Amino acid sequence: MDLVTVILNLDRRIIYTIVALCVIVPLLLPLKIPIVPTPETRGVFDAIDALPEGSHILIAADFDPASKPELLPVLHAALAHCFNKGIKPDLVTLWATGPGLMQTAIETEAARYNKEEGKDYCFLGFRYGTLAVVIGMAASITNTFNTDFYGKPTANMPIYQDLRKLSQYKFILDIAAGNTVDTVWLPFASQQERVDMGACVTAVSATQYYPYYQAGQLKGLAGGMKGSAEYEKLVGDKYGVPPGDATKGMAAQSFVHLFIVLSIIIANICYFQMMKRERNQRRAS
Amino acid sequence: MLFFKRQWPVIIAFAMGVIMWARYYIPTEESAHLQDEYARWDIVIVGFAALLGLLSLIHHHWSKIRNKRPGFAFSYITLGAMAVMALAGLLPVRFFGFAGMQNSPDGLYTWMFNNIQVPMQATMFSVLAFYMASAAFRAFRARSTEATALLITACIVMIGRVPVGDALVTWMKDSHMAFTIGNATYAFLDFPKLTEWLLNVPNAGAFRGINLGIILSMIALSVRIIFGIERTYMGGAD
Amino acid sequence: MLNKLRVLEICAVLAMLLAALPGVSAAQGAAVTPPDAAAKSDAGKVAAGEPGKPGTATPAATQPIAPRVVPPAPSEVEVFDIPNDDGTNLGILYKWAGATGPDTTVTISLQVSQDQLKDYTLSEAERQRLNDALAQLEQDLAPLLPERDRIKAEEDTAKAAYDLAKNNKTPDMLGLCRAYYAKDIELQRVSHAIDAANDRFTARTTCGGVIKDLRTKARVHDYLEATIRSRQWLTSDVEDKKVADIETKGDHPELFGHDPDEADKLFIRIDQIQALNPDVVYGTFQPGVKDKTDLEPPPSVLVQLLKNHVYELQMVVKQSPTDTGASYDLGGAKTQVNYFKTSLLNNFVFAVLFSIVILASIMMARRNPNMFIRRIQGLEAVDEAIGRATEMGKPVLYLCGMDALASLNTLAAINLLSRVARRVADYDSELIVPCRDPVVMTVAQEVVKEAYIDQGRPDSYRESNIFFLTDDQFAFTAATCGIMMREKPAANFFMGGYYAEALLLAETGASTGAIQIAGTDATNQLPFFITACDYTLIGEELYAASAYLSREPLLLGSLKGQDVAKALVMILIIVQTLLFVAQAILHKNGIDVPLDFLKVLVQPL
């Protein structure tokens, strides 16, 4: 059997092994790859950065542990951005399996910047109802979330003394693994209540949101781990925040992408070679 | 009796459909309460349905074990795991070793969620990367013009979406492998810019077209359901 | 610093003198208000328009000599009810007469009558019920609260000892850890008892109305009553708002339309008033002090404005945080309940229009049942796939998607399931339907059962083949892949909404050699299905599937209606595109004509 036949009939477990090596090796080696933020990610960063100190923003973190590597870094970066800028974020999730991750993220960032829950930020946690939650928040935040994640009543918190309804947020950032961007937050919160919005989504779903970005309905769009790494870079450049997990993952992602591109090219060369050979055989016969 | 089987569900579907549609346009407090009420009903229905689901799961696996169908040993694992997780959640068990991570009555449950469920979920998701690699290897073959266009586009986006693409641009510009239009300099192989264009122009346009069709279909299906023209989902005839 | 302030003060006085000169005062008069506004503001009104008459608030006559900078005044004021709301919002539009400083703030106050109390007044029986429940709660908590505080203190000590031992790695670390956890468990027991007492109290004091619990209702009543009794003007939810944060008319196209007249007019919305704690009113409030039920009474609560009620409004303008401010009457307006969101008018018209088009097409289909519908390959292959499964003696696997029944894509998948189940029953093959949602499972069981009965094969129906797996996304995927690998179905149907698991399911299915037909409206998963499945129904084809397979004229008619609606939208898009091109050409030739008037069709009005 010659090389062309071997490559075209390659056992997929071999491909899997190479992909695994492309992920593991760069993660173990301290490789530094320069990151250039795209205008889409810069859109999210600039929209938040332009807000005055003391503004309230809503961060909806609608993801679960499965999307942790892609989206948790951008949640950390966005929180660090808000705390550095003196912006007050409210963190909420529409996914029942999300609050555990969010709790770790917000408590870590709040401790790092010495911020107080109920005053500088609020972790509202999860409420059942998806759309009903958003419609409820449009009427009253404290009635919809009468307690925060920790069970403390929200009505008396200092942060809610000048913030009562969804329309009073200056920005909504949806960090989403599912379709909450275009089915919930964009139509029922951003468009209905006239609040600017940005989205950080998984790479696989990013393509779906470009029409909204292009139409200006999303001020920015950070897609996948690359988007998270770009956000980390932007926050790092302006506020000196050290790069997080997404930046570290970029080397692994680059290697895997390069491997896939190379394998596609090799497979196609072999494919053409095979076709040529078949043609020659046909001609000869 | 036939009325309750045939007409009654259609009447309910019509009434609820029209009420919830009208609610969207009515800004009164009562309208907001209706939405809250709907959410509550939903919780009740989901709660009871979860019970049905649980019974179905037990029934399915139990019948597999009883009939010794192929792979019935896995059913023992499923039922066992379900029992352990349920007991950990229901009983205030405190295991010193587990509760050390979170000293609360649900310490064991939380521990199992964080250390068994979460890694298993992440593992399943990461398997996607391997599947993508093998699917790309098999599918991206330049069989026709369209397939070639798809292949080239995929390669451009794959390189344009990782920092290597940016590094390539910087290297090309430094090595004078670039051209100038007006004041801007472009590298010969500017994958990130090409990716940006591909995502913002052809991709966004195609998605808009598909979405438009989907949304109109949704309206048509809703109208069919509200007016009782489509009753297949009720199990009845057309 | 002091000198700078002094210089500023002198400048201000000079400015006042200049403004007082004949001729100059007429031009600048609007900017100037009474000199000692602070002194008079306590008494209520200082300068003003006529109450109840919008747009008439003008400052009083100017006075030439003033000891400090006089605050700017609102002019051209309009007070009005805000449309498209639940009937509790008032809006204020105004302009500044005079310059504002960076520290200038605005507070809106309202005159509130006893009517405001009506929603919060407790009946005699309710008051009695509340008092009884409160007495019981106090009694329950009396021994628990000191115990909790004691254990908390002990736990803190135990934790400190453990942390110290942990840092120094002393041998008694494990013992100290056990002691700390024991205290923590003890604390949780007491906290649980406190929570239980509070829960019992809540169960006894739940009520209907605007506020759902008696204690809060009574608190709002008492706060409001004390505040109304003590002062004429009650502060609204707009308190000390910085002028820089005040939005303009142009910022709210949903209220005033696009490009309204005087778009730079300032806009303030109010819908709540602050009711103060009686202790705050009487000056005896001590922050941080808890009552016998372990609650810290808030210094104030917010109360919604009444519907269909006339309110008189006042604006207090402060130049600095220490300034007591100058107040201006703004007039009054009535809050009105609205029954239709006019901002959604275009949306409503579109929805009605499309529904009519679809219903009309259905009517026409009844008259002319022979209509052309393009061939959908994926649906033509349904018979082939089921036939192959029957020949091979293998089952057919059908997934209804990952969404709940409320999603239309799941309903479309269920509709198609009914058609597929009929074919399967016809061929007497086996159908497996794993479900992610128990509600979907129940409906799927019913649908398949009916299909088997309709085809005259009720004995072939097996309920245990339509079962619930789990609602966890990836656990469901793993389980379904497992079924595919073990049972090796000859045909796989993936219909409905899918997320990241799409490729996992389709690739596993492909590796077992099954014929695969997918149909989804999850646009970002389409590439994966197209790569790994034999046929894929793209977006709207999924919704058309049931109608297509049934060949029912009424259902097919709705597809025609959809096409008409789509053509209409396409015409609109093309017309607007041409208009934009024309606008660009005109702009190049120096003519600026906005040709974007079609946007009223799609944007909130």
Side-chain angles (χ1 to χ4, degrees), chain C residues 19-54:
Chain C
L21 290 173
V24 179
S25 67
Q28 310 225 326
V32 188
T33 46
D36 202 354
K40 288 188 182 178
S41 64
D42 283 347
K45 300 181 205 173
V46 175
E50 295 163 51
K53 259 191 175 180

mmCIF file of all heavy atoms in Angstrom, chain C residues 19-54:
data_model
loop_
_atom_site.group_PDB
_atom_site.id
_atom_site.type_symbol
_atom_site.label_atom_id
_atom_site.label_comp_id
_atom_site.label_asym_id
_atom_site.label_seq_id
_atom_site.Cartn_x
_atom_site.Cartn_y
_atom_site.Cartn_z
ATOM 1 N N ALA C 19 -26.202 90.995 34.558
ATOM 2 C CA ALA C 19 -27.503 90.475 34.123
ATOM 3 C C ALA C 19 -28.631 91.428 34.511
ATOM 4 O O ALA C 19 -29.665 91.491 33.850
ATOM 5 C CB ALA C 19 -27.739 89.112 34.740
ATOM 6 N N ALA C 20 -28.422 92.149 35.605
ATOM 7 C CA ALA C 20 -29.472 93.049 36.089
ATOM 8 C C ALA C 20 -29.577 94.324 35.254
ATOM 9 O O ALA C 20 -30.544 95.069 35.359
ATOM 10 C CB ALA C 20 -29.197 93.410 37.542
ATOM 11 N N LEU C 21 -28.559 94.608 34.440
ATOM 12 C CA LEU C 21 -28.587 95.827 33.624
ATOM 13 C C LEU C 21 -29.728 95.770 32.626
ATOM 14 O O LEU C 21 -30.042 94.704 32.107
ATOM 15 C CB LEU C 21 -27.262 95.962 32.860
ATOM 16 C CG LEU C 21 -26.033 96.299 33.709
ATOM 17 C CD1 LEU C 21 -24.782 96.236 32.850
ATOM 18 C CD2 LEU C 21 -26.183 97.657 34.353
ATOM 19 N N PRO C 22 -30.390 96.900 32.363
ATOM 20 C CA PRO C 22 -31.498 96.896 31.403
ATOM 21 C C PRO C 22 -30.992 96.368 30.049
ATOM 22 O O PRO C 22 -29.879 96.659 29.645
ATOM 23 C CB PRO C 22 -31.910 98.360 31.287
ATOM 24 C CG PRO C 22 -31.221 99.058 32.379
ATOM 25 C CD PRO C 22 -30.096 98.231 32.859
ATOM 26 N N GLY C 23 -31.832 95.600 29.358
ATOM 27 C CA GLY C 23 -31.421 95.074 28.045
ATOM 28 C C GLY C 23 -30.787 93.723 28.183
ATOM 29 O O GLY C 23 -31.157 92.789 27.502
ATOM 30 N N VAL C 24 -29.847 93.583 29.100
ATOM 31 C CA VAL C 24 -29.156 92.303 29.284
ATOM 32 C C VAL C 24 -30.080 91.336 30.013
ATOM 33 O O VAL C 24 -30.188 90.176 29.663
ATOM 34 C CB VAL C 24 -27.856 92.496 30.073
ATOM 35 C CG1 VAL C 24 -27.152 91.160 30.281
ATOM 36 C CG2 VAL C 24 -26.971 93.474 29.357
ATOM 37 N N SER C 25 -30.798 91.868 31.004
ATOM 38 C CA SER C 25 -31.653 90.987 31.812
ATOM 39 C C SER C 25 -32.733 90.319 30.962
ATOM 40 O O SER C 25 -33.127 89.200 31.230
ATOM 41 C CB SER C 25 -32.279 91.757 32.965
ATOM 42 O OG SER C 25 -33.173 92.700 32.434
ATOM 43 N N ALA C 26 -33.223 91.029 29.933
ATOM 44 C CA ALA C 26 -34.274 90.448 29.099
ATOM 45 C C ALA C 26 -33.756 89.208 28.394
ATOM 46 O O ALA C 26 -34.439 88.201 28.291
ATOM 47 C CB ALA C 26 -34.732 91.463 28.075
ATOM 48 N N ALA C 27 -32.525 89.309 27.934
ATOM 49 C CA ALA C 27 -31.957 88.179 27.195
ATOM 50 C C ALA C 27 -31.599 87.025 28.117
ATOM 51 O O ALA C 27 -31.715 85.880 27.748
ATOM 52 C CB ALA C 27 -30.731 88.650 26.429
ATOM 53 N N GLN C 28 -31.129 87.376 29.308
ATOM 54 C CA GLN C 28 -30.634 86.336 30.185
ATOM 55 C C GLN C 28 -31.578 86.011 31.327
ATOM 56 O O GLN C 28 -31.276 85.186 32.172
ATOM 57 C CB GLN C 28 -29.290 86.784 30.780
ATOM 58 C CG GLN C 28 -28.340 87.259 29.709
ATOM 59 C CD GLN C 28 -26.971 86.709 29.910
ATOM 60 O OE1 GLN C 28 -26.557 86.532 31.038
ATOM 61 N NE2 GLN C 28 -26.272 86.436 28.838
ATOM 62 N N GLY C 29 -32.695 86.687 31.331
ATOM 63 C CA GLY C 29 -33.610 86.568 32.465
ATOM 64 C C GLY C 29 -33.960 85.141 32.831
ATOM 65 O O GLY C 29 -34.029 84.795 34.000
ATOM 66 N N ALA C 30 -34.137 84.355 31.791
ATOM 67 C CA ALA C 30 -34.562 82.985 32.049
ATOM 68 C C ALA C 30 -33.567 82.219 32.887
ATOM 69 O O ALA C 30 -33.912 81.263 33.558
ATOM 70 C CB ALA C 30 -34.785 82.274 30.726
ATOM 71 N N ALA C 31 -32.301 82.686 32.811
ATOM 72 C CA ALA C 31 -31.270 81.958 33.541
ATOM 73 C C ALA C 31 -31.233 82.302 35.003
ATOM 74 O O ALA C 31 -30.565 81.651 35.786
ATOM 75 C CB ALA C 31 -29.920 82.269 32.926
ATOM 76 N N VAL C 32 -31.914 83.313 35.367
ATOM 77 C CA VAL C 32 -31.731 83.835 36.719
ATOM 78 C C VAL C 32 -32.996 83.609 37.546
ATOM 79 O O VAL C 32 -34.105 83.826 37.096
ATOM 80 C CB VAL C 32 -31.403 85.333 36.656
ATOM 81 C CG1 VAL C 32 -31.013 85.847 38.018
ATOM 82 C CG2 VAL C 32 -30.278 85.555 35.667
ATOM 83 N N THR C 33 -32.800 83.196 38.737
ATOM 84 C CA THR C 33 -33.932 82.923 39.629
ATOM 85 C C THR C 33 -33.755 83.708 40.915
ATOM 86 O O THR C 33 -32.725 84.345 41.106
ATOM 87 C CB THR C 33 -33.992 81.431 39.915
ATOM 88 O OG1 THR C 33 -32.685 81.019 40.225
ATOM 89 C CG2 THR C 33 -34.554 80.665 38.744
ATOM 90 N N PRO C 34 -34.698 83.653 41.808
ATOM 91 C CA PRO C 34 -34.606 84.494 42.997
ATOM 92 C C PRO C 34 -33.292 84.309 43.732
ATOM 93 O O PRO C 34 -32.722 83.216 43.703
ATOM 94 C CB PRO C 34 -35.766 84.024 43.866
ATOM 95 C CG PRO C 34 -36.684 83.365 42.941
ATOM 96 C CD PRO C 34 -35.883 82.849 41.814
ATOM 97 N N PRO C 35 -32.836 85.329 44.349
ATOM 98 C CA PRO C 35 -31.502 85.328 44.921
ATOM 99 C C PRO C 35 -31.330 84.323 46.048
ATOM 100 O O PRO C 35 -30.442 83.504 45.999
ATOM 101 C CB PRO C 35 -31.340 86.747 45.439
ATOM 102 C CG PRO C 35 -32.743 87.232 45.631
ATOM 103 C CD PRO C 35 -33.558 86.575 44.591
ATOM 104 N N ASP C 36 -32.158 84.373 46.982
ATOM 105 C CA ASP C 36 -31.937 83.521 48.130
ATOM 106 C C ASP C 36 -32.893 82.338 48.099
ATOM 107 O O ASP C 36 -33.758 82.196 48.936
ATOM 108 C CB ASP C 36 -32.105 84.337 49.409
ATOM 109 C CG ASP C 36 -31.389 83.657 50.556
ATOM 110 O OD1 ASP C 36 -30.881 82.526 50.348
ATOM 111 O OD2 ASP C 36 -31.363 84.218 51.629
ATOM 112 N N ALA C 37 -32.707 81.562 47.073
ATOM 113 C CA ALA C 37 -33.619 80.439 46.870
ATOM 114 C C ALA C 37 -33.568 79.480 48.039
ATOM 115 O O ALA C 37 -34.577 78.935 48.462
ATOM 116 C CB ALA C 37 -33.266 79.721 45.593
ATOM 117 N N ALA C 38 -32.353 79.293 48.540
ATOM 118 C CA ALA C 38 -32.161 78.319 49.612
ATOM 119 C C ALA C 38 -33.017 78.674 50.821
ATOM 120 O O ALA C 38 -33.654 77.823 51.429
ATOM 121 C CB ALA C 38 -30.710 78.276 50.001
ATOM 122 N N ALA C 39 -33.034 79.936 51.125
ATOM 123 C CA ALA C 39 -33.761 80.368 52.309
ATOM 124 C C ALA C 39 -35.257 80.104 52.154
ATOM 125 O O ALA C 39 -35.948 79.803 53.108
ATOM 126 C CB ALA C 39 -33.504 81.846 52.559
ATOM 127 N N LYS C 40 -35.731 80.232 50.938
ATOM 128 C CA LYS C 40 -37.169 80.133 50.744
ATOM 129 C C LYS C 40 -37.612 78.713 50.419
ATOM 130 O O LYS C 40 -38.793 78.420 50.515
ATOM 131 C CB LYS C 40 -37.583 81.053 49.595
ATOM 132 C CG LYS C 40 -37.512 82.514 49.961
ATOM 133 C CD LYS C 40 -38.122 83.328 48.847
ATOM 134 C CE LYS C 40 -38.041 84.817 49.148
ATOM 135 N NZ LYS C 40 -38.585 85.591 48.058
ATOM 136 N N SER C 41 -36.671 77.882 49.987
ATOM 137 C CA SER C 41 -37.085 76.579 49.460
ATOM 138 C C SER C 41 -37.833 75.719 50.479
ATOM 139 O O SER C 41 -38.669 74.928 50.114
ATOM 140 C CB SER C 41 -35.889 75.809 48.937
ATOM 141 O OG SER C 41 -35.042 75.538 50.015
ATOM 142 N N ASP C 42 -37.526 75.930 51.753
ATOM 143 C CA ASP C 42 -38.197 75.140 52.780
ATOM 144 C C ASP C 42 -39.695 75.395 52.786
ATOM 145 O O ASP C 42 -40.498 74.536 53.116
ATOM 146 C CB ASP C 42 -37.624 75.472 54.162
ATOM 147 C CG ASP C 42 -36.287 74.802 54.330
ATOM 148 O OD1 ASP C 42 -35.964 73.917 53.506
ATOM 149 O OD2 ASP C 42 -35.574 75.173 55.259
ATOM 150 N N ALA C 43 -40.049 76.572 52.418
ATOM 151 C CA ALA C 43 -41.454 76.939 52.460
ATOM 152 C C ALA C 43 -42.227 76.362 51.286
ATOM 153 O O ALA C 43 -43.421 76.507 51.186
ATOM 154 C CB ALA C 43 -41.582 78.449 52.481
ATOM 155 N N GLY C 44 -41.549 75.732 50.407
ATOM 156 C CA GLY C 44 -42.240 75.131 49.267
ATOM 157 C C GLY C 44 -41.877 75.821 47.986
ATOM 158 O O GLY C 44 -40.767 75.722 47.514
ATOM 159 N N LYS C 45 -42.818 76.575 47.428
ATOM 160 C CA LYS C 45 -42.570 77.162 46.107
ATOM 161 C C LYS C 45 -41.711 78.404 46.213
ATOM 162 O O LYS C 45 -41.778 79.149 47.159
ATOM 163 C CB LYS C 45 -43.884 77.594 45.476
ATOM 164 C CG LYS C 45 -44.850 76.489 45.281
ATOM 165 C CD LYS C 45 -46.059 77.096 44.641
ATOM 166 C CE LYS C 45 -47.284 76.261 44.950
ATOM 167 N NZ LYS C 45 -48.485 76.921 44.479
ATOM 168 N N VAL C 46 -40.951 78.632 45.173
ATOM 169 C CA VAL C 46 -40.204 79.887 45.094
ATOM 170 C C VAL C 46 -40.663 80.612 43.857
ATOM 171 O O VAL C 46 -41.320 81.637 43.913
ATOM 172 C CB VAL C 46 -38.704 79.632 45.046
ATOM 173 C CG1 VAL C 46 -37.975 80.947 44.836
ATOM 174 C CG2 VAL C 46 -38.251 78.992 46.331
ATOM 175 N N ALA C 47 -40.297 80.024 42.741
ATOM 176 C CA ALA C 47 -40.700 80.644 41.498
ATOM 177 C C ALA C 47 -41.513 79.616 40.764
ATOM 178 O O ALA C 47 -41.439 78.456 41.059
ATOM 179 C CB ALA C 47 -39.476 80.968 40.696
ATOM 180 N N ALA C 48 -42.267 80.062 39.791
ATOM 181 C CA ALA C 48 -43.031 79.007 39.193
ATOM 182 C C ALA C 48 -43.928 79.390 38.076
ATOM 183 O O ALA C 48 -44.272 80.529 37.898
ATOM 184 C CB ALA C 48 -43.882 78.443 40.263
ATOM 185 N N GLY C 49 -44.352 78.371 37.355
ATOM 186 C CA GLY C 49 -45.413 78.555 36.382
ATOM 187 C C GLY C 49 -46.707 78.249 37.091
ATOM 188 O O GLY C 49 -46.722 77.981 38.277
ATOM 189 N N GLU C 50 -47.773 78.236 36.333
ATOM 190 C CA GLU C 50 -49.044 77.929 36.963
ATOM 191 C C GLU C 50 -49.195 76.421 37.058
ATOM 192 O O GLU C 50 -49.066 75.733 36.066
ATOM 193 C CB GLU C 50 -50.178 78.502 36.120
ATOM 194 C CG GLU C 50 -50.140 80.002 36.065
ATOM 195 C CD GLU C 50 -50.986 80.509 34.931
ATOM 196 O OE1 GLU C 50 -52.160 80.095 34.833
ATOM 197 O OE2 GLU C 50 -50.475 81.292 34.134
ATOM 198 N N PRO C 51 -49.501 75.906 38.222
ATOM 199 C CA PRO C 51 -49.641 74.463 38.359
ATOM 200 C C PRO C 51 -50.737 73.932 37.428
ATOM 201 O O PRO C 51 -51.763 74.568 37.252
ATOM 202 C CB PRO C 51 -50.048 74.272 39.821
ATOM 203 C CG PRO C 51 -49.696 75.537 40.488
ATOM 204 C CD PRO C 51 -49.744 76.606 39.457
ATOM 205 N N GLY C 52 -50.469 72.807 36.864
ATOM 206 C CA GLY C 52 -51.469 72.173 36.009
ATOM 207 C C GLY C 52 -51.406 72.621 34.578
ATOM 208 O O GLY C 52 -52.038 72.076 33.704
ATOM 209 N N LYS C 53 -50.648 73.654 34.323
ATOM 210 C CA LYS C 53 -50.535 74.144 32.945
ATOM 211 C C LYS C 53 -49.143 73.834 32.420
ATOM 212 O O LYS C 53 -48.185 74.519 32.733
ATOM 213 C CB LYS C 53 -50.747 75.653 32.931
ATOM 214 C CG LYS C 53 -52.137 76.051 32.483
ATOM 215 C CD LYS C 53 -52.136 77.527 32.260
ATOM 216 C CE LYS C 53 -53.448 78.005 31.686
ATOM 217 N NZ LYS C 53 -53.402 79.450 31.483
ATOM 218 N N PRO C 54 -49.027 72.803 31.622
ATOM 219 C CA PRO C 54 -47.705 72.448 31.136
ATOM 220 C C PRO C 54 -47.099 73.556 30.286
ATOM 221 O O PRO C 54 -47.806 74.268 29.585
ATOM 222 C CB PRO C 54 -47.949 71.208 30.272
ATOM 223 C CG PRO C 54 -49.333 70.805 30.512
ATOM 224 C CD PRO C 54 -50.052 71.937 31.108
#
